[in-house]
Amino acid sequence: MTETMPGVPKWANLAAHLTLLTTLPSGLWRIAMGLGVPVGFTEQGLSEFGIPGWGTAYVFGLSLLAEGLAFLTLGLVRPWGEVWPRWIPGLRGRRIPPLAAIVPAAAGAIALTVLGVQALLRRASAGASMPPGTWEDSPVYGVVMAVCYAPLLLWGPLLAAVTVHYARRRLSSERPQHTLQPLGGRA
C-alpha cells in the first residue's frame, strides 16, 4: 500500500519521506568507502577500518540498517503502520497497538537528536583520535564528508514531528470524544 492514511497532513507525509533522504547521502558515502573509492581516507586509513575485509561488510550493513530504520517512518503515515500487512502470518489484518509504534519511534527520535547534537558539538575534534597518515591532506574530502553527514542532523527532529502527529492521530481516535473533559473540571 502506497497511499497515505486519511487525516495525515501533507507536512507529515513530506517529513516521513524526507527521513529516507536524510540517511541516503551518508549511506552512499559509506558504501563508496567500503568499495575502496577514495573518500578521504588513505590506504592506511581504510585498513584501520578493516577495508577491504570485515569493515566493508560493516559499512554496508550500517548503511542498509540506517535506510531500513528510516523507511519505518513511512509506517507512521501509511496503512501498514496501523494494520499488520497481509504477508505477516498470524498478525495479518490485525490492528497495531499505537504504543507499539509510538514508543520505539519516540525513543529513536530522542536518540537520533541527541547523537546529532553530540556529533555537531564534536565536529571540531573529528578525526583527532585517528593516527597520522590515515586521512588525505585535501580539505575537499572533509567538506564532502560533512555534506554527506549533515542531513542526518534532521533525521531525529523529522522523526519526532511525524511521531507526535501519529500519536495524536492514533490516540485521539482510540477514545470516544464524549469522554474528553475540559481542563479544570466540568464545563
Side-chain angles (χ1 to χ4, degrees):
M1 293 184 171
T2 58
E3 293 183 20
T4 303
M5 290 296 294
V8 174
K10 287 182 182 181
W11 71 262
N13 190 39
L14 179 63
H17 282 81
L18 285 175
T19 59
L20 293 168
L21 297 177
T22 63
T23 59
L24 190 60
S26 61
L28 293 174
W29 186 90
R30 282 189 301 271
I31 288 171
M33 183 176 88
L35 293 173
V37 174
V39 292
F41 292 102
T42 62
E43 215 169 293
Q44 177 189 347
L46 289 175
S47 68
E48 291 278 331
F49 287 107
I51 296 172
W54 67 267
T56 301
Y58 172 76
V59 295
F60 278 35
L62 181 59
S63 298
L64 290 172
L65 177 67
E67 202 62 38
L69 290 172
F71 178 77
L72 289 176
T73 307
L74 290 179
L76 300 175
V77 297
R78 298 286 172 90
W80 54 268
E82 295 189 20
V83 177
W84 291 103
R86 290 181 301 219
W87 52 269
I88 300 181
L91 295 174
R92 68 180 65 139
R94 289 187 181 175
R95 189 181 133 290
I96 297 173
L99 291 179
I102 295 168
V103 171
I110 291 167
L112 289 167
T113 303
V114 168
L115 288 171
V117 169
Q118 285 179 339
L120 194 60
L121 295 175
R122 293 184 182 160
R123 175 70 181 122
S125 63
S129 63
M130 294 177 58
T134 56
W135 186 252
E136 296 286 351
D137 289 331
S138 172
V140 173
Y141 291 116
V143 170
V144 170
M145 183 180 175
V147 166
C148 288
Y149 274 83
L152 286 176
L153 297 172
L154 297 174
W155 188 7
L158 286 170
L159 177 57
V162 177
T163 301
V164 167
H165 176 267
Y166 178 88
R168 286 182 173 172
R169 183 170 51 84
R170 290 291 311 276
L171 295 176
S172 69
S173 67
E174 292 287 306
R175 54 184 179 237
Q177 294 299 315
H178 69 277
T179 62
L180 295 176
Q181 294 289 326
L183 290 175
R186 296 180 182 241

